[in-house]
Amino acid sequence: MELDLTDVKGDVVISEGLLQGTDLEARLGNSWGREGRLRLGLANDDSTFHLDIGVRADLGDLPPILKRLLDDKSFQEKMGLLEDLEGDAAGRLVLGETTEAVNVRVDVSKLDLSAKYQRIPYPIV
């Protein structure tokens, strides 16, 4: 995914070809993840992958990240209509269950957003 994570820390155990991480933390720009848990298969035939982490996201940082990660033309077109996106969101990010098919679930518990959307004549708050 080529995410330039900083301030990465946590507890990791590797046993029987499986990496398990707990109390994981990382920062990406002005956003961060905390209290994360990770399972990652290290053997060639093990595609196990599961990440569950609490996040606080700076929404202004989100469009360029989503543009790199999501290869959906319709979604990209809609994102291109957003301007002056600001605010933050908090919740949980869950990725899994295999490296071949990463499902994404985001549970948002707090959202503070403002933006201009070209198809709506008024600011969105």
Side-chain angles (χ1 to χ4, degrees):
M1 292 186 195
E2 298 183 27
L3 298 176
D4 188 17
L5 300 174
T6 60
D7 301 325
V8 177
K9 61 183 174 180
D11 299 319
V12 176
V13 173
I14 298 174
S15 176
E16 298 179 13
L18 186 67
L19 180 148
Q20 295 190 68
T22 57
D23 296 323
L24 302 177
E25 294 184 18
R27 179 174 296 280
L28 177 63
N30 294 320
S31 302
W32 53 258
R34 293 193 177 132
E35 299 175 0
R37 295 183 311 272
L38 172 69
R39 281 190 332 268
L40 178 64
L42 300 177
N44 288 339
D45 62 344
D46 186 353
S47 63
T48 299
F49 174 73
H50 182 87
L51 173 68
D52 182 336
I53 192 164
V55 294
R56 204 246 356 117
D58 180 336
L59 298 177
D61 292 344
L62 203 53
I65 294 169
L66 292 176
K67 186 173 184 176
R68 278 198 341 262
L69 296 178
L70 299 173
D71 188 26
D72 180 294
K73 186 176 180 177
S74 177
F75 179 80
Q76 295 293 339
E77 289 172 1
K78 303 293 187 290
M79 286 297 294
L81 298 174
L82 280 174
E83 299 172 348
D84 302 326
L85 180 62
E86 296 178 353
D88 59 58
R92 292 208 72 77
L93 171 66
V94 180
L95 305 174
E97 291 303 312
T98 69
T99 54
E100 284 107 21
V102 178
N103 293 313
V104 179
R105 189 180 88 221
V106 179
D107 295 320
V108 178
S109 58
K110 177 187 173 241
L111 179 65
D112 180 15
L113 168 111
S114 67
K116 294 178 185 172
Y117 188 65
Q118 292 177 11
R119 294 186 177 164
I120 300 174
Y122 305 102
I124 299 170
V125 179

